[in-house]
Amino acid sequence: MDLGLAGLPGKAKKGDAMGIIDRIMLSIYTFFLAFLSVVVILLSLRLIPLELAWTSLAYVYGQWEASLVGAVFFLVSIRLLLAGLRSRRVKNTIVHHNDMGDVHISLMAVENLVEKVARHIRGVRDIKVDVSMAHENIIVRMKVKISPESHVPTVAAEIQNRVHEYVKNTVGIELADVQVMVETISNDFKTKQRVE
């Protein structure tokens, strides 16, 4: 089984064809915008006669072909906007490549897993987890509340070890960094527990 992070080069996926189409559309769209930018610059510097600009606009006025071109560019804009939002979502996943296809595991699933593991460690009263990706590495940050009768360095080290091992065995990834910040040392339990 091959493991990778979404957005990294690897085996071809079904979504790659759509990505190529989006890239072609983006290239055409960028070329057209660059052309319009040059025209605006030349007009503002008076290098293109104003009569030529008015003649061009008069030719476009009332032509259904011009509205068709405008509609196509509007649809391309919407398509590229949605493609950009979709690619941002996909980056928040871990991808396992295998012979049957790809398995995507969201970072939210890893967060829930880490929280569940850490809550079962003796001395942990409450925990908040944040899992993120940085330079192809998975980083886990935890803010914990620990009971006063516990030895804080021992509990923090146990959290790090258990989380690292459990994520490695369950999800199949090595965590680059497991950070524990002890925010409070208190006997108070969180009144509203997270629904699992």
Side-chain angles (χ1 to χ4, degrees), residues 29 67-80:
Y29 193 75
S67 64
L68 182 64
V69 169
V72 166
F73 272 93
F74 178 74
L75 292 175
V76 167
S77 301
I78 298 296
R79 167 72 185 199
L80 293 175

Side-chain angles (χ1 to χ4, degrees), residues 114-129 142-160 162-163 180-190 193:
V114 168
E115 185 173 339
K116 186 176 180 181
V117 171
R119 280 189 188 279
H120 287 87
I121 295 172
R122 185 181 178 127
V124 175
R125 294 290 180 235
D126 190 28
I127 187 162
K128 294 175 187 171
V129 180
M142 293 173 276
K143 295 179 180 179
V144 296
K145 182 188 288 186
I146 294 180
S147 63
E149 65 273 5
S150 301
H151 185 250
V152 174
T154 304
V155 173
E158 187 178 353
I159 292 170
Q160 288 176 313
R162 281 245 204 114
V163 164
V180 177
M181 178 182 176
V182 178
E183 280 195 318
T184 310
I185 299 173
S186 171
N187 266 333
D188 298 334
F189 281 91
K190 190 173 180 183
Q193 292 293 331

Side-chain angles (χ1 to χ4, degrees), residues 87-162:
S87 69
R88 253 183 250 147
R89 266 202 320 268
V90 170
K91 283 183 182 176
N92 290 330
T93 63
I94 301 158
V95 181
H96 286 279
H97 304 286
N98 59 38
D99 297 335
M100 302 292 288
D102 295 339
V103 177
H104 295 263
I105 303 168
S106 73
L107 293 185
M108 182 64 75
V110 177
E111 276 183 17
N112 293 336
L113 181 70
V114 168
E115 185 173 339
K116 186 176 180 181
V117 171
R119 280 189 188 279
H120 287 87
I121 295 172
R122 185 181 178 127
V124 175
R125 294 290 180 235
D126 190 28
I127 187 162
K128 294 175 187 171
V129 180
D130 178 53
V131 177
S132 60
M133 272 191 219
H135 306 293
E136 305 173 15
N137 295 316
I138 306 278
I139 297 170
V140 175
R141 293 179 184 89
M142 293 173 276
K143 295 179 180 179
V144 296
K145 182 188 288 186
I146 294 180
S147 63
E149 65 273 5
S150 301
H151 185 250
V152 174
T154 304
V155 173
E158 187 178 353
I159 292 170
Q160 288 176 313
N161 291 332
R162 281 245 204 114

Side-chain angles (χ1 to χ4, degrees), residues 12-26:
K13 295 181 264 202
K14 285 183 183 177
D16 284 350
M18 208 48 104
I20 291 169
I21 292 170
D22 288 339
R23 276 184 236 128
I24 291 169
M25 288 185 346
L26 181 61

